[in-house]
Amino acid sequence: MAGTKEIKTHIESVQETKKITSAMYLIASTKLQRARQELDNTRPYFEALRGEIKRIFRTVENVDSRYFYPAKGEPPLEGAYGCLVITADKGLAGAYNQNAIKEAQKLLEQHPDTKLFVVGEYGRRFFASRGIPIEHSFLYTAQNPTMARAREISALLLDRFDRGELKKIFVVYTDMESALSFQARSTRLLPFHRTYFADTAMTEQPVTEPFEFLPDVPSVLDNMMPSYVSGFIYSALIDSFCCEQNARMTAMDSANRNAEGLLGELSLQYNRVRQAAITQSITEVSAGARAQRQKNKG
């Protein structure tokens, strides 16, 4: 059985670890609030942009754009696919990273000719350690998602799409459904289906006057879609970052509760060992005194 010194050392170690997990919980909470605020500040612009794209399809029939499937359906597109995988830079976030990687692996199984574009050090190390080729790795940290970085990612993916190197583009990210629920998703980014813009939440005024598009509708869409794609990627980066912090808060909270339980068990064990040592010392002193008295009598 461990002695009081070993148990006390163990208690001090758990207490130090608990300080770290508590600090990480507070840091994750602060980052989560800041990231959600940034997303709320930019969301109205992209919702308005989505509403304008919807208005184009309501106003003009037979719109032809390389960013959209034909109105009659989704014909099969043969060729390489692109997949943007968003992970964290580190672990300690429960199953957050593994869930995103599983979604990417599903896509690789369904379409082996899929080129990976990875954000996050965890994803880069995972695919590199298993010999899975990465087409492009965005080396900046996943801890600071910005609109500028979203535009860089969007520009690279759109360039490959416009040149025909990628027939479809998917985004694997973690969607924050609510404050307590999040799920890894694989969403097709390009080409869009027209019905995607059919249910915008914006309240629209009825169209009473015809719109005039200069120079033409395809050119207007070609000018609008890069901004919308950038907004979609930015939203995915922020959502993933929020989910990472939420998962880390959950993991650190669980670690704190486990530490408290362990400290309780160690304190009880320490008190028992200490009491046993005191009892043994009293017994030894009593036995020694009794032996001394008997010796004096003899």
Side-chain angles (χ1 to χ4, degrees), residues 3-291:
T4 55
K5 183 178 180 180
E6 290 80 3
I7 297 175
K8 190 174 182 180
T9 301
H10 194 180
I11 290 175
E12 292 174 352
S13 175
V14 173
Q15 288 174 337
E16 291 298 322
T17 303
K18 187 173 181 294
K19 290 180 181 178
I20 296 173
T21 55
S22 297
M24 292 181 67
Y25 178 91
L26 295 176
I27 293 172
S29 176
T30 302
K31 289 182 177 180
L32 173 63
Q33 294 176 5
R34 185 172 66 247
R36 294 181 71 174
Q37 182 62 42
E38 292 176 356
L39 181 61
D40 291 340
N41 292 338
T42 58
R43 193 186 300 275
Y45 168 76
F46 295 105
E47 288 181 349
L49 187 60
R50 180 179 178 181
E52 294 304 317
I53 296 173
K54 174 188 176 183
R55 189 169 297 171
I56 291 176
F57 287 109
R58 289 180 55 201
T59 306
V60 182
E61 296 181 358
N62 301 323
V63 180
D64 187 20
S65 173
R66 63 182 180 275
Y67 298 117
F68 292 86
Y69 279 112
K72 295 183 179 179
E74 300 183 9
L77 298 176
E78 300 296 333
Y81 291 179
C83 179
L84 175 65
V85 185
I86 302 174
T87 65
D89 290 327
K90 54 186 177 182
L92 298 177
Y96 166 80
N97 288 299
Q98 287 299 323
N99 289 339
I101 288 173
K102 286 179 182 178
E103 288 296 321
Q105 289 178 317
K106 289 180 183 178
L107 186 60
L108 287 172
E109 293 174 0
Q110 296 171 0
H111 198 281
D113 191 12
T114 297
K115 302 182 183 298
L116 296 178
F117 300 81
V118 182
V119 174
E121 184 64 25
Y122 192 99
R124 287 192 289 269
R125 291 181 178 178
F126 178 88
F127 292 118
S129 64
R130 285 158 179 77
I132 301 175
I134 298 176
E135 181 70 14
H136 187 88
S137 182
F138 300 97
L139 297 180
Y140 40 74
T141 175
Q143 296 295 308
N144 185 27
T146 63
M147 191 64 214
R149 291 175 175 175
R151 289 193 179 100
E152 292 178 8
I153 297 172
S154 172
L156 177 63
L157 295 177
L158 285 174
D159 180 64
R160 300 287 185 91
F161 183 79
D162 292 338
R163 288 189 295 176
E165 297 179 7
L166 301 176
K167 297 301 182 181
K168 289 184 181 181
I169 297 177
F170 293 83
V171 179
V172 173
Y173 70 105
T174 309
D175 183 24
M176 194 166 185
E177 299 174 342
S178 66
L180 300 175
S181 175
F182 50 89
Q183 181 179 1
R185 296 186 182 277
S186 175
T187 301
R188 188 188 66 219
L189 178 60
L190 289 172
F192 287 103
H193 196 281
R194 296 160 194 259
T195 57
Y196 179 78
F197 295 91
D199 57 349
T200 180
M202 293 181 57
T203 302
E204 296 187 358
Q205 298 294 331
V207 178
T208 57
E209 297 293 336
F211 285 91
E212 185 177 357
F213 301 95
L214 295 176
D216 50 37
V217 174
S219 298
V220 172
L221 276 177
D222 289 348
N223 187 54
M224 296 173 68
M225 292 311 299
S227 294
Y228 186 81
V229 171
S230 298
F232 188 99
I233 292 176
Y234 178 64
S235 177
L237 289 172
I238 292 288
D239 272 341
S240 295
F241 181 70
C242 289
C243 291
E244 176 195 350
Q245 302 309 318
N246 199 347
R248 183 162 291 115
M249 287 171 61
T250 302
M252 294 303 102
D253 183 60
S254 177
N256 286 337
R257 291 198 301 269
N258 292 338
E260 290 174 358
L262 182 57
L263 285 173
E265 294 176 1
L266 288 173
S267 297
L268 181 61
Q269 184 180 356
Y270 176 81
N271 291 332
R272 287 175 176 173
V273 172
R274 182 170 175 269
Q275 186 63 44
I278 293 173
T279 303
Q280 183 178 357
S281 298
I282 293 174
T283 303
E284 290 175 353
V285 169
S286 299
R290 186 182 305 109

